[in-house]
């Protein structure tokens, strides 16, 4: 798995339009906190269980990729942590071009326990939408 800063990920997505861009956050996070345009939501885990289903995740990504495990997959979450586990499972399943967006959508917590103040997709001023 390769790691890209948010701006690098956005540039990569523009240059590689066939890339599958996956938001692994829960659907409610993606809808209400915000998400990049064109991202597909495939949660790593979902409420109320909050338990990953690796086989289900891989199957959903494979469906969205049209069965092409060589298709580039860019993974995004809140802070870049869930994507590490999700990416590892995809690599074990045979996906060969996996990219993790460092710092995720909201970024790391600052000294006041707030996000989007240090780094991340929104902090970098990249396009996003909200329900």
């Amino acid at each position: 798995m390769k790691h890209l800063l948010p701006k690098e990920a956005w540039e990569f997505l523009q240059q590689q339009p066939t890339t599958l861009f996956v938001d692994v956050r829960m659907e409610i996070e993606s809808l209400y906190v915000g998400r990049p345009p064109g991202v597909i939501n495939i949660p790593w885990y979902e409420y109320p269980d909050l338990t990953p289903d690796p086989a289900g995740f891989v199957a959903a990504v494979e469906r969205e990729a049209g069965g092409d495990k060589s298709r580039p997959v860019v993974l995004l979450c809140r802070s870049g942590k869930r994507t590490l586990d999700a990416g590892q499972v995809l690599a074990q399943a045979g996906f060969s071009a996996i990219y993790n967006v460092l710092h995720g959508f909201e970024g790391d917590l600052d000294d006041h326990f707030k996000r989007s103040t240090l780094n991340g997709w929104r902090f970098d001023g990249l396009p996003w939408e909200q329900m």
Side-chain angles (χ1 to χ4, degrees):
M1 179 173 13
K2 296 181 178 118
H3 304 283
L4 301 173
L5 292 168
K7 288 181 180 179
E8 294 170 331
W10 178 248
E11 185 177 316
F12 181 82
L13 290 163
Q14 302 313 298
Q15 294 173 356
Q16 303 286 329
T18 61
T19 298
L20 181 60
F21 190 18
V22 177
D23 183 347
V24 307
R25 295 175 297 161
M26 293 181 291
E27 183 180 29
I28 194 95
E29 288 178 278
S30 182
L31 293 174
Y32 289 103
V33 175
R35 62 182 175 216
V39 74
I40 296 167
N41 183 236
I42 303 175
W44 176 240
Y45 55 72
E46 193 58 86
Y47 184 84
D49 298 328
L50 304 178
T51 302
D53 174 11
F57 178 79
V58 168
V61 172
E62 193 168 353
R63 271 192 309 277
E64 289 293 338
D68 182 1
K69 292 184 177 182
S70 67
R71 184 176 175 186
V73 178
V74 172
L75 301 172
L76 177 81
C77 66
R78 180 187 66 195
S79 59
K81 309 285 189 282
R82 276 175 271 186
T83 50
L84 297 175
D85 292 334
Q88 185 176 30
V89 167
L90 290 176
Q92 290 169 351
F95 283 84
S96 58
I98 305 161
Y99 300 85
N100 170 49
V101 179
L102 292 168
H103 312 300
F105 185 74
E106 293 183 72
D108 297 317
L109 288 170
D110 67 15
D111 292 339
H112 302 286
F113 303 101
K114 294 185 179 181
R115 295 190 188 275
S116 299
T117 61
L118 299 174
N119 50 34
W121 190 275
R122 283 196 311 197
F123 178 83
D124 283 349
L126 295 169
W128 64 283
E129 57 195 23
Q130 193 171 25
M131 185 174 169

